[in-house]
Amino acid sequence: FFFISFSSFAQGPGCPNVNAGEDVELDCDEPCTDLSATFLQTGETTSYEVTSIPYEPPFPATGGTPVSVNTDDVWSPTISLPFEFCFFGESYDEMLIGSNGVVTFDLITNDPGGYCAWSFDESVPDSNLFLNTIFGPYMDIDPSVPGSGQINWTVFGDAPCRTMVVNFPSIPYFSCNNLNMTTQIVMYETTNVVEVYLENRTSGCAWNDGNAVLGIQNQDASVGFVAPGRNTGDWAAIEEAWRFTPNGESNVD
């Protein structure tokens, strides 16, 4: 009797796994059988595949460590990652959260606790946009508005399948305070997958031409990837999610 078991949780994008299929029972006079298996294919972070996925946020939007509390247009203090995260070919163990819907690994151009710019009209990729950054989406939101949700981060799981989760829950637009955005950025250990779960993003606010962008950009702004129809502009979205999967040369051994 040949038996392999595996956890259904392991089928997520953040946990390497091998699935040997259904159990196989052999008669005593059958000396051998062929085995086959499927495994989670992962690749180098030299390039990414962008895919639409179901809007099913895997983690809570509240309860994490708050940052930028009641403060507009600011970068968080330096946040240590509990695992090395590979992004466009480089590994990082620190990040910043910007109060305008971004996560960056560029701690040189962007000062911890410093000003997080809100005005832009460029499209990804562009050197005038934040470098080495996840735009999730990037737009001028204002967590200083009374009653605003608290931007927060937290870590879930155990090595080597941990996730860094960053939440922007019900953060009002700047100027158009009657509108708000809820979004979640998820970064997976080992596979280096990035996901964005965007609950709502309403168009029509004239401030900064209503611009928003959902995507990622590398260290020198030479390469970027965006969700279809989600480069810089005044677009609307309701309960959509996007996965950025590294699809460079296979790094499976």
Side-chain angles (χ1 to χ4, degrees):
F1 181 70
F2 179 81
F3 176 77
I4 289 182
S5 65
F6 61 95
S7 168
S8 60
F9 173 78
Q11 303 311 295
C15 199
N17 64 86
V18 176
N19 178 6
E22 299 296 324
D23 299 344
V24 177
E25 188 172 342
L26 300 180
D27 293 332
C28 291
D29 58 357
E30 188 174 356
C32 62
T33 188
D34 291 333
L35 298 179
S36 63
T38 60
F39 59 91
L40 182 66
Q41 179 61 267
T42 60
E44 301 290 348
T45 59
T46 51
S47 64
Y48 291 80
E49 178 186 13
V50 185
T51 55
S52 174
I53 59 176
Y55 179 78
E56 297 172 354
F59 304 103
T62 58
T65 301
V67 293
S68 306
V69 177
N70 301 323
T71 308
D72 189 29
D73 298 334
V74 68
W75 290 106
S76 70
T78 300
I79 298 170
S80 296
L81 288 162
F83 53 85
E84 287 195 350
F85 186 75
C86 194
F87 191 69
F88 284 105
E90 299 290 339
S91 292
Y92 301 95
D93 58 10
E94 294 180 327
M95 70 176 193
L96 301 177
I97 299 172
S99 61
N100 289 317
V102 292
V103 170
T104 189
F105 306 103
D106 176 13
L107 278 66
I108 299 175
T109 306
N110 306 301
D111 297 324
Y115 174 62
C116 177
W118 57 268
S119 178
F120 70 98
D121 57 14
E122 299 84 0
S123 296
V124 171
D126 193 284
S127 59
N128 289 320
L129 296 171
F130 301 125
L131 305 177
N132 226 13
T133 293
I134 301 168
F135 305 99
Y138 174 34
M139 62 170 289
D140 192 11
I141 49 179
D142 188 357
S144 70
V145 174
S148 171
Q150 288 191 343
I151 300 169
N152 66 89
W153 65 272
T154 191
V155 177
F156 291 94
D158 300 310
C161 303
R162 290 167 290 188
T163 54
M164 167 62 77
V165 180
V166 180
N167 291 299
F168 300 84
S170 299
I171 311 298
Y173 291 20
F174 187 87
S175 182
C176 304
N177 292 165
N178 60 310
L179 304 176
N180 64 72
M181 180 178 72
T182 294
T183 191
Q184 180 178 90
I185 298 171
V186 183
M187 293 166 280
Y188 292 89
E189 182 182 17
T190 306
T191 61
N192 303 300
V193 169
V194 175
E195 292 177 340
V196 177
Y197 293 86
L198 179 55
E199 180 178 309
N200 60 285
R201 199 275 166 183
T202 304
S203 60
C205 180
W207 181 258
N208 196 38
D209 297 324
N211 284 334
V213 57
L214 196 161
I216 58 177
Q217 176 166 272
N218 73 345
Q219 294 90 336
D220 61 5
S222 61
V223 179
F225 298 89
V226 295
R230 298 294 178 254
N231 217 327
T232 299
D234 186 19
W235 42 265
I238 298 176
E239 292 192 350
E240 66 177 38
W242 300 96
R243 178 175 293 158
F244 297 81
T245 305
N247 67 345
E249 183 178 351
S250 175
N251 57 8
V252 174
D253 184 4

